Tab-separated table of all heavy atoms in Angstrom:
chain	number	residue	atom	x	y	z
L	1	MET	N	10.096	3.495	-8.709
L	1	MET	CA	9.800	2.085	-8.654
L	1	MET	C	10.232	1.451	-9.978
L	1	MET	O	10.109	2.045	-11.025
L	1	MET	CB	8.296	1.882	-8.433
L	1	MET	CG	7.920	0.422	-8.372
L	1	MET	SD	6.152	0.111	-8.189
L	1	MET	CE	5.807	0.899	-6.638
L	8	ALA	N	7.185	-15.178	-22.278
L	8	ALA	CA	7.618	-16.395	-22.965
L	8	ALA	C	6.450	-16.926	-23.773
L	8	ALA	O	5.286	-16.750	-23.398
L	8	ALA	CB	8.082	-17.441	-21.960
L	10	ARG	N	4.648	-20.242	-25.027
L	10	ARG	CA	4.529	-21.666	-24.732
L	10	ARG	C	3.660	-22.308	-25.797
L	10	ARG	O	2.708	-21.706	-26.272
L	10	ARG	CB	3.864	-21.896	-23.375
L	10	ARG	CG	4.570	-21.221	-22.224
L	10	ARG	CD	5.658	-22.118	-21.670
L	10	ARG	NE	6.184	-21.571	-20.446
L	10	ARG	CZ	7.408	-21.101	-20.331
L	10	ARG	NH1	8.224	-21.095	-21.341
L	10	ARG	NH2	7.835	-20.634	-19.175
L	21	SER	N	-2.382	-27.990	-31.435
L	21	SER	CA	-1.513	-27.221	-30.544
L	21	SER	C	-1.681	-25.734	-30.857
L	21	SER	O	-2.029	-25.357	-31.972
L	21	SER	CB	-0.056	-27.618	-30.751
L	21	SER	OG	0.121	-28.978	-30.439
L	29	ILE	N	5.361	-10.236	-13.939
L	29	ILE	CA	5.989	-8.971	-13.566
L	29	ILE	C	6.732	-9.203	-12.252
L	29	ILE	O	6.209	-9.851	-11.342
L	29	ILE	CB	4.950	-7.828	-13.446
L	29	ILE	CG1	5.644	-6.487	-13.239
L	29	ILE	CG2	3.932	-8.099	-12.355
L	29	ILE	CD1	4.741	-5.290	-13.472
L	33	ASP	N	11.491	-5.779	-5.021
L	33	ASP	CA	11.668	-6.616	-3.822
L	33	ASP	C	11.659	-8.109	-4.135
L	33	ASP	O	11.718	-8.935	-3.231
L	33	ASP	CB	10.614	-6.282	-2.769
L	33	ASP	CG	9.196	-6.647	-3.215
L	33	ASP	OD1	9.014	-7.169	-4.342
L	33	ASP	OD2	8.255	-6.400	-2.433
L	44	VAL	N	-3.144	-2.055	-20.438
L	44	VAL	CA	-3.172	-1.012	-19.414
L	44	VAL	C	-4.014	-1.439	-18.202
L	44	VAL	O	-3.549	-1.350	-17.067
L	44	VAL	CB	-3.651	0.339	-19.996
L	44	VAL	CG1	-3.850	1.369	-18.888
L	44	VAL	CG2	-2.663	0.855	-21.036
L	53	GLN	N	-3.357	-2.870	-6.688
L	53	GLN	CA	-3.471	-3.835	-5.594
L	53	GLN	C	-2.203	-3.873	-4.755
L	53	GLN	O	-2.263	-4.041	-3.537
L	53	GLN	CB	-3.799	-5.219	-6.142
L	53	GLN	CG	-5.219	-5.307	-6.644
L	53	GLN	CD	-5.551	-6.663	-7.210
L	53	GLN	OE1	-4.715	-7.330	-7.803
L	53	GLN	NE2	-6.800	-7.079	-7.034
L	60	SER	N	-13.388	-3.398	-6.731
L	60	SER	CA	-14.712	-4.018	-6.692
L	60	SER	C	-15.454	-3.608	-7.965
L	60	SER	O	-15.057	-2.668	-8.650
L	60	SER	CB	-15.496	-3.570	-5.453
L	60	SER	OG	-15.721	-2.174	-5.489
L	75	LYS	N	-9.477	3.489	-1.603
L	75	LYS	CA	-8.391	3.502	-0.618
L	75	LYS	C	-8.478	4.805	0.173
L	75	LYS	O	-8.506	5.888	-0.423
L	75	LYS	CB	-7.031	3.401	-1.328
L	75	LYS	CG	-5.840	3.428	-0.383
L	75	LYS	CD	-4.544	3.336	-1.170
L	75	LYS	CE	-3.345	3.516	-0.283
L	75	LYS	NZ	-2.096	3.534	-1.047
L	81	MET	N	-12.814	5.309	-10.560
L	81	MET	CA	-13.655	4.457	-11.384
L	81	MET	C	-12.946	4.150	-12.701
L	81	MET	O	-12.374	5.039	-13.321
L	81	MET	CB	-14.999	5.116	-11.675
L	81	MET	CG	-15.944	4.201	-12.452
L	81	MET	SD	-17.579	4.894	-12.679
L	81	MET	CE	-18.214	4.731	-11.028
L	85	THR	N	-14.289	0.292	-22.674
L	85	THR	CA	-15.056	0.115	-23.896
L	85	THR	C	-14.304	-0.928	-24.709
L	85	THR	O	-13.338	-1.515	-24.229
L	85	THR	CB	-15.186	1.435	-24.681
L	85	THR	OG1	-13.889	1.872	-25.076
L	85	THR	CG2	-15.880	2.510	-23.853
L	88	ASN	N	-10.888	1.276	-25.551
L	88	ASN	CA	-10.329	2.245	-24.605
L	88	ASN	C	-10.711	1.920	-23.174
L	88	ASN	O	-11.631	1.159	-22.912
L	88	ASN	CB	-10.823	3.662	-24.941
L	88	ASN	CG	-10.331	4.128	-26.280
L	88	ASN	OD1	-9.222	3.827	-26.687
L	88	ASN	ND2	-11.157	4.876	-26.993
L	98	VAL	N	-8.775	10.345	-17.308
L	98	VAL	CA	-7.743	9.963	-18.265
L	98	VAL	C	-8.280	8.795	-19.088
L	98	VAL	O	-8.702	7.791	-18.523
L	98	VAL	CB	-6.425	9.549	-17.559
L	98	VAL	CG1	-5.435	8.978	-18.555
L	98	VAL	CG2	-5.818	10.724	-16.818
L	105	CYS	N	0.592	-1.966	-29.456
L	105	CYS	CA	1.529	-2.866	-30.144
L	105	CYS	C	2.951	-2.613	-29.674
L	105	CYS	O	3.760	-3.528	-29.608
L	105	CYS	CB	1.435	-2.676	-31.661
L	105	CYS	SG	-0.149	-3.208	-32.320
L	115	ASN	N	1.884	4.472	-17.049
L	115	ASN	CA	2.432	5.467	-16.125
L	115	ASN	C	1.550	6.706	-16.038
L	115	ASN	O	1.402	7.298	-14.961
L	115	ASN	CB	3.854	5.857	-16.535
L	115	ASN	CG	4.889	5.019	-15.836
L	115	ASN	OD1	4.760	4.708	-14.662
L	115	ASN	ND2	5.925	4.635	-16.557
L	117	VAL	N	-1.707	6.853	-16.228
L	117	VAL	CA	-2.812	6.525	-15.323
L	117	VAL	C	-2.312	6.433	-13.881
L	117	VAL	O	-2.926	6.988	-12.962
L	117	VAL	CB	-3.500	5.212	-15.751
L	117	VAL	CG1	-4.520	4.767	-14.707
L	117	VAL	CG2	-4.149	5.359	-17.123
L	120	GLU	N	-1.163	10.246	-12.754
L	120	GLU	CA	-2.199	11.287	-12.768
L	120	GLU	C	-3.452	10.910	-11.979
L	120	GLU	O	-4.088	11.771	-11.384
L	120	GLU	CB	-2.592	11.635	-14.204
L	120	GLU	CG	-1.489	12.330	-14.977
L	120	GLU	CD	-1.882	12.668	-16.405
L	120	GLU	OE1	-3.095	12.771	-16.711
L	120	GLU	OE2	-0.972	12.825	-17.232
L	125	ALA	N	4.248	6.941	-7.914
L	125	ALA	CA	5.498	7.327	-8.567
L	125	ALA	C	5.583	6.647	-9.925
L	125	ALA	O	4.998	5.588	-10.152
L	125	ALA	CB	6.688	6.920	-7.704
L	130	ASP	N	10.920	-2.608	-17.561
L	130	ASP	CA	11.922	-3.321	-18.344
L	130	ASP	C	11.238	-4.585	-18.848
L	130	ASP	O	10.371	-5.135	-18.162
L	130	ASP	CB	13.129	-3.665	-17.469
L	130	ASP	CG	14.294	-4.203	-18.258
L	130	ASP	OD1	14.368	-3.952	-19.477
L	130	ASP	OD2	15.135	-4.884	-17.659
L	141	VAL	N	14.323	-34.484	-29.466
L	141	VAL	CA	13.640	-35.759	-29.614
L	141	VAL	C	14.275	-36.486	-30.802
L	141	VAL	O	14.303	-35.956	-31.912
L	141	VAL	CB	12.130	-35.578	-29.853
L	141	VAL	CG1	11.450	-36.934	-30.072
L	141	VAL	CG2	11.497	-34.812	-28.711
L	145	GLU	N	16.093	-31.074	-32.827
L	145	GLU	CA	15.873	-30.016	-31.863
L	145	GLU	C	14.596	-29.243	-32.185
L	145	GLU	O	14.359	-28.850	-33.317
L	145	GLU	CB	17.069	-29.042	-31.897
L	145	GLU	CG	17.037	-28.001	-30.813
L	145	GLU	CD	18.292	-27.156	-30.800
L	145	GLU	OE1	19.383	-27.699	-30.552
L	145	GLU	OE2	18.152	-25.952	-31.072
Side-chain angles (χ1 to χ4, degrees):
M1 180 183 299
R10 303 273 189 248
S21 298
I29 188 165
D33 66 0
V44 173
Q53 288 179 326
S60 63
K75 179 181 174 184
M81 184 175 287
T85 63
N88 296 324
V98 172
C105 293
N115 267 320
V117 172
E120 292 180 23
D130 189 22
V141 177
E145 188 174 296

